[in-house]
């Protein structure tokens, strides 16, 4: 069973092809890295998989469901129920505390549970900073809040767009450890990264160039 | 269980209001100023014609009571009852006139008894040299009388005549004032109303009553109809030239005011809407993020709706208070008197201000919500 199947997906902005005829599959519980130069279409692909954007052509099957046929409202529901998002920029609501930011994801998903949200923050080592606003946190801490938020609803698939791009080494290994834990718990993970070190954590690495798959590397070999 | 969610979202809304203080203050200031202008202008729209109406009363009486049918005089008790039909705030003045044919050194004159206190109200345009009679032996003469008989202030004037009972009187009066109106008053001699009554040996009757009432033409006509119906011995007349010009000028003034008010209101509403819109547009990212977290459009719209309703309410409330102050200051500066406070204008202002903030807020929210979150989140 595959959590994700991408079939002949293209995305163009006018005459510019951000993605051209992409085909790939991700098995249930697998970890995939996406690498490639800037502008090669990594974020574009992640946004399409994450139900935040639609391809120009082709189909995406997420957990057995063709999401390219769905309306924006239905996409919102899928995103909420199946996907945990970690963004390239750490997007947090600026006027809510770390804890409230995590609880916001619970709120839109189903029901707030402060204890559970605190546990998630504890897991990313931020229990003591639960009442801090984003601007009172460092970049690494903000990214960890985003991870706590992404895992709070037990998503089947975690999408992380350069989760360590703005972090130092210490924070990077913290974040990677967290992803490993989630992976062991059974989540499927797709990570976009520029760093070969980070990419190596995955079972497979896909390299994009000019919107096409240039190479598929098996990291286990 | 659902209450937990409601509590949470209420808390986040409050956080949004408290932690985004400076932005909220800008939005609040905008709505409050808009509401101030709204409240103030609408109040003035009501008030200025009312105040101008009062000012117009300096043109003199606008209704006259005369005896009906074959009667020679009207009973003053009836007049009191008839004038009591008018609210005291609109009753500027009521002046009785009583006439008597007299002679002074064989020259015939008309002696008029009146209430000088009321004259200043119903005929403020009379030009008086000297002063009004205050003692019973004092008189005021018309300018024509003064010229004809070569009399001036301080002179003595003998006046002779007959009472109702045909008793003769011949008394000496002192001239304390000369009046000039350009009308029939110029050839009359004036004494206190009560003095004339004692000369006549008859009380509580008058030939003519002049009324000055602050009211629009329709109201005056209604009043006249009412008097005709209830007091058959009184024949009320509308002084057309006064009412006509008054109604015309007030009508033009009103339409001008409404025009200016509507233009100013539309402009302020656009300003308020723009302020609200910029404040919301700044939060496009937040909207995209909430969508990415799985919030339905409806839910996001609801959150913003609650916030804008709150802002509109508080802004409208503050604006009503300042608007009242604003109208009051203008009224005091221009007319020297207070405005009439219309209570229902407060809920009206709050409602309009809530409406404007909600519309201004939901327009950009709707726009942001319809875009795929990827686009909103990517834009720096
Ligand atoms: N909304 C858009 N409108 C026009 N062009 C776009 C849009 N979004 C992306 N692109 C273009 O599509 C291409 C792929 O962009 P994408 O963001 O996927 O690159 P990326 O691989 O994530 O790069 P980076 O490593 O710098 O994040 C780029 O050339 C970009 O300019
Ligand atoms: Mg990118």
């Amino acid at each position: 069973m595959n959590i994700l199947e991408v079939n002949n997906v293209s995305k163009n902005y006018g005459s510019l092809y951000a993605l051209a005829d992409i085909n790939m599959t991700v098995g249930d519980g697998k970890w995939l890295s996406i690498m490639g130069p800037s502008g090669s279409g990594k974020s574009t692909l992640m946004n399409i998989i994450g139900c935040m954007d639609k391809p120009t052509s082709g189909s995406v099957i997420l957990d057995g469901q063709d999401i390219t046929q769905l309306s924006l409202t239905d996409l919102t529901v899928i995103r909420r129920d199946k996907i945990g998002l970690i963004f390239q920029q750490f997007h947090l609501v600026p006027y809510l505390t770390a804890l409230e930011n995590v609880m916001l994801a619970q709120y839109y998903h189903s029901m707030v549970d402060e204890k559970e949200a605190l546990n998630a923050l504890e897991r990313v080592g931020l229990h003591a900073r639960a009442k801090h606003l984003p601007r009172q946190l460092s970049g690494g801490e903000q990214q960890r809040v985003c991870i706590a938020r992404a895992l709070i609803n037990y998503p089947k698939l975690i999408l992380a767009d350069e989760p360590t791009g703005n972090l130092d080494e210490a924070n990077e290994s913290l974040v990677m450890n967290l992803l490993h834990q989630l992976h062991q718990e059974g989540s499927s993970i797709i990570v976009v990264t520029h760093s070969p070190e980070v990419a190596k954590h995955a079972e497979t690495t896909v390299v994009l160039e000019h919107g096409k798959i240039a190479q598929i590397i098996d990291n286990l070999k | 269980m659902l209450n937990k969610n409601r509590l949470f979202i209420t808390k986040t809304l409050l956080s949004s209001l408290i932690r985004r203080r400076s932005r909220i203050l800008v939005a609040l200031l905008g709505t409050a100023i808009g509401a101030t202008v709204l409240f103030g202008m609408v109040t003035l729209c009501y008030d200025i014609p009312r105040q101008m109406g009062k000012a117009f009363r300096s043109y003199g009486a606008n209704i006259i009571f005369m005896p009906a049918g074959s009667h020679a005089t009207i009973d003053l008790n009836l007049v009191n009852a008839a004038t009591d039909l008018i609210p005291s705030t609109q009753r500027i003045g009521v002046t009785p006139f009583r006439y008597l044919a007299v002679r002074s050194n064989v020259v015939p004159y008309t002696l008029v008894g009146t209430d000088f206190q009321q004259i200043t109200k119903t005929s403020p345009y009379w030009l008086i040299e000297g002063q009004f009679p205050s003692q019973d032996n004092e008189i005021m003469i018309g300018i024509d009388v003064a010229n004809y008989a070569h009399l001036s202030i301080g002179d003595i004037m003998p006046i002779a005549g007959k009472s109702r009972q045909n008793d003769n009187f011949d008394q000496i009066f002192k001239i304390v004032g000369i009046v000039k109106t350009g009308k029939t008053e110029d050839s009359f001699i004036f004494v206190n109303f009560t003095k004339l009554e004692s000369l006549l040996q008859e009380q509580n009757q008058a030939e003519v009553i002049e009324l000055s009432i602050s009211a629009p033409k329709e109201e005056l006509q209604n009043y006249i109809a009412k008097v005709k119906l209830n007091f058959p011995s009184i024949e009320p007349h509308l002084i057309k030239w006064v009412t006509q010009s008054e109604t015309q000028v007030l009508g033009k003034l009103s339409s001008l005011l409404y025009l200016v008010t509507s233009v100013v209101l539309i402009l302020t509403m656009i300003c308020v809407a723009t302020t609200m819109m910029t404040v919301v547009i700044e939060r496009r990212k937040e909207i995209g993020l909430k969508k990415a977290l799985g919030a339905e459009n409806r839910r996001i719209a609801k959150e913003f709706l609650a916030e804008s309703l709150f802002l509109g309410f508080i802004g409208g409330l503050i604006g009503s208070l300042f608007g009242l102050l604003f109208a009051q200051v203008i009224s005091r500066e221009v007319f020297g008197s207070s405005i009439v406070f219309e209570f229902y204008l407060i809920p009206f202002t709050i409602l309009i201000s809530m409406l404007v903030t909600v519309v201004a807020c939901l327009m950009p929210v709707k726009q942001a919500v319809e875009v795929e979150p990827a686009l909103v989140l990517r834009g720096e």
Side-chain angles (χ1 to χ4, degrees), chain B residues 316-334:
Chain B
L317 195 68
I318 297 175
S320 295
L321 301 181
F322 277 96
L324 191 62
L325 208 71
F326 164 71
Q328 184 75 271
V329 166
I330 288 193
S331 182
R332 283 214 166 273
E333 287 295 313
V334 179

Side-chain angles (χ1 to χ4, degrees), chain B residues 23 27-28 64 83 105 144 212 220 339:
Chain B
R23 281 287 171 274
L28 211 53
I64 290 189
T83 51
N105 302 326
D144 291 350
S212 176
L220 292 178
I339 50 156

Side-chain angles (χ1 to χ4, degrees), chain A residues 42-44 88 161-162 192, chain B residues 378:
Chain A
K42 305 183 296 293
S43 294
T44 306
Q88 190 167 358
D161 193 346
E162 294 192 42
V192 166
Chain B
R378 134 186 285 277

